[in-house]
Amino acid sequence: IEGGKSINARYSTDGGNNTGWNFETVVFSGTGGWTDMSNWSNGYVPTAYDNVRISADVTMNSDYSVESITIDAGKELILGAGYTLETTDPLVIAAGAEFQAMAGAWIKSRINNTGGTITLGDDAIIEYDITNSGTMNMAGAIIREAINNSGTMTFAGTEQIYGGISNRGTMTLTGGETIVLGQGEEITNYAGSTVRYTGGAGVLALKAGTSYYNLEFADSDSQWQADSNLMVNGSFKVESGRFNLGSKQMTVKGDFTAANNQVFDAGTGIVAFDNPGGTSNIHGTTFANLTVTAGTTLIIDENATETITGALTMNGTAESPITLRSRLSGSAWNIDPRGTISASYVNVTDSTNISTINSSITVTGGGTGLRSTGWNFGGSSSTSTLASTAT
């Protein structure tokens, strides 16, 4: 435009690759309602072709359609019960902002929560996908497409998520929820993610599937029951309440934190530490059956006791031995195996075998021990002081 001026394009859309046009953002900054024109920066209530910024708290108590909405930090937009909001571009929630959809509200928008809070009421419908890197609370919502989470989200109702869940953050389940997924869809817990179970009445099933990265339980009045084999690609922790493995197998690649018989009930199941080339920390637990795979290192708290009431299986290889050592070098940890033992290529440091049933644990094939009592390496003696390769 001659003179460097631009064209103000009201009720218009920026289709891209335009110069000299001003596609205005209409700002809500008043203290009244959405339909009060005096609350809007341009003196009119926005239409389907306007980009909207919310810089004051506002409640929408009617159906509205706009081009886009951005909610500023510290501000809140509430969509009233049963009303519909439609945007062409995503609804963006800034860090510190809030968006709340009341019961039965219908949001025909993609939602991009960049660090704020989303609260979705019972039967609130989100027509498209949600990208969440802030906080999201759901209590019976319906999501037509997927949730991509890198923040925190909490489920507390019957959630219907037809596009599945990609979890890279923290997902909390409060005990009363049901998660309904679309046909062929699933919950995928990526590296670094956490699923945390925090409560509910009675014996609770694991609603978020069988494959986790970090898996945590925390509620003193709750009991959870494994009804399938579990894969934990990160760490397993029971802070409070009780987790019952039953007859299932749980494979753990990271740390294992659960107090003896108070919060972890091994049942007749198998805990398998499968972390070749890596390290898992354990802190004194009673296992029904314990398996350690080749190349895995277990670090046990000094003075802690690892009790195995059933089968103990630790079979390394010459190239990938198993390593067992104390968290504090020179301070002993205890092992109490009471069932069958199969052990080969195991390097042990600072261990005392306190079993009255298996007074000597024989390691075949190869293995070394340092400051370890009640172990037999290659048929040498029950007390080994051989140089250890463990570090």
Side-chain angles (χ1 to χ4, degrees):
I1 302 298
E2 186 176 349
K5 297 180 179 180
S6 60
I7 298 173
N8 291 320
R10 184 181 177 190
Y11 307 121
S12 301
T13 302
D14 184 358
N17 200 31
N18 295 306
T19 302
W21 292 81
N22 179 23
F23 295 93
E24 295 179 291
T25 296
V26 185
V27 180
F28 182 91
S29 58
T31 58
W34 182 279
T35 58
D36 185 345
M37 291 186 295
S38 66
N39 293 318
W40 295 96
S41 60
N42 288 7
Y44 65 90
V45 177
T47 71
Y49 301 101
D50 286 306
N51 298 300
V52 172
R53 194 174 88 239
I54 304 299
S55 59
D57 295 345
V58 62
T59 299
M60 303 174 69
N61 284 323
S62 186
D63 298 336
Y64 293 103
S65 178
V66 295
E67 180 70 18
S68 68
I69 294 180
T70 298
I71 308 172
D72 285 348
K75 308 306 176 185
E76 182 179 29
L77 172 62
I78 299 174
L79 179 61
Y83 295 116
T84 298
L85 169 63
E86 182 173 7
T87 68
T88 303
D89 294 333
L91 167 61
V92 177
I93 304 165
E98 296 184 48
F99 173 68
Q100 184 175 172
M102 305 300 284
W106 191 3
I107 302 95
K108 297 181 179 180
S109 309
R110 286 177 170 79
I111 297 179
N112 183 12
N113 181 17
T114 65
T117 300
I118 307 170
T119 302
L120 303 177
D122 188 37
D123 290 331
I125 300 172
I126 310 297
E127 192 68 30
Y128 302 106
D129 57 86
I130 299 175
T131 299
N132 177 56
S133 57
T135 299
M136 183 165 65
N137 303 307
M138 299 173 61
I142 301 167
I143 315 298
R144 300 291 192 194
E145 293 189 3
I147 296 177
N148 298 290
N149 177 57
S150 59
T152 62
M153 56 184 181
T154 300
F155 297 154
T158 299
E159 320 299 349
Q160 301 175 59
I161 305 163
Y162 292 99
I165 301 172
S166 294
N167 180 33
R168 293 175 172 84
T170 298
M171 180 166 63
T172 298
L173 295 97
T174 57
E177 71 287 316
T178 299
I179 300 176
V180 178
L181 301 174
Q183 185 174 4
E185 300 294 342
E186 60 185 15
I187 299 171
T188 303
N189 294 301
Y190 289 90
S193 67
T194 298
V195 175
R196 186 172 173 86
Y197 292 87
T198 62
V203 179
L204 305 170
L206 304 189
K207 304 292 183 62
T210 60
S211 181
Y212 300 87
Y213 192 78
N214 297 317
L215 176 60
E216 299 179 355
F217 301 89
D219 186 89
S220 58
D221 297 323
S222 299
Q223 177 174 321
W224 295 271
Q225 173 76 49
D227 52 10
S228 300
N229 292 340
L230 299 176
M231 170 61 72
V232 181
N233 289 296
S235 296
F236 173 83
K237 180 188 293 186
V238 186
E239 294 179 8
S240 59
R242 192 174 181 86
F243 175 79
N244 188 342
L245 185 58
S247 61
K248 307 306 179 184
Q249 175 169 320
M250 179 168 62
T251 301
V252 180
K253 292 185 176 293
D255 297 338
F256 187 101
T257 305
N260 267 333
N261 299 324
Q262 298 170 16
V263 295
F264 178 70
D265 185 345
T268 59
I270 301 170
V271 174
F273 287 97
D274 181 14
N275 193 10
T279 299
S280 295
N281 291 276
I282 57 178
H283 310 284
T285 305
T286 295
F287 300 98
N289 301 284
L290 177 63
T291 298
V292 185
T293 61
T296 297
T297 294
L298 296 185
I299 298 178
I300 303 96
D301 287 353
E302 68 278 11
N303 301 316
T305 298
E306 304 300 335
T307 301
I308 304 94
T309 60
L312 172 61
T313 305
M314 302 183 294
N315 291 314
T317 66
E319 296 78 16
S320 298
I322 291 167
T323 300
L324 308 177
R325 61 182 175 89
S326 174
R327 185 180 68 89
L328 182 61
S329 179
S331 296
W333 60 278
N334 301 319
I335 188 167
D336 184 4
R338 302 174 184 176
T340 60
I341 300 173
S342 176
S344 59
Y345 295 98
V346 182
N347 297 329
V348 183
T349 304
D350 294 320
S351 175
T352 301
N353 175 13
I354 63 172
S355 177
T356 59
I357 298 172
N358 294 295
S359 59
S360 179
I361 302 171
T362 298
V363 178
T364 63
T368 60
L370 177 63
R371 299 185 296 272
S372 296
T373 302
W375 293 79
N376 183 351
F377 296 91
S380 55
S381 68
S382 63
T383 299
S384 176
T385 57
L386 300 175
S388 175
T389 60
T391 57

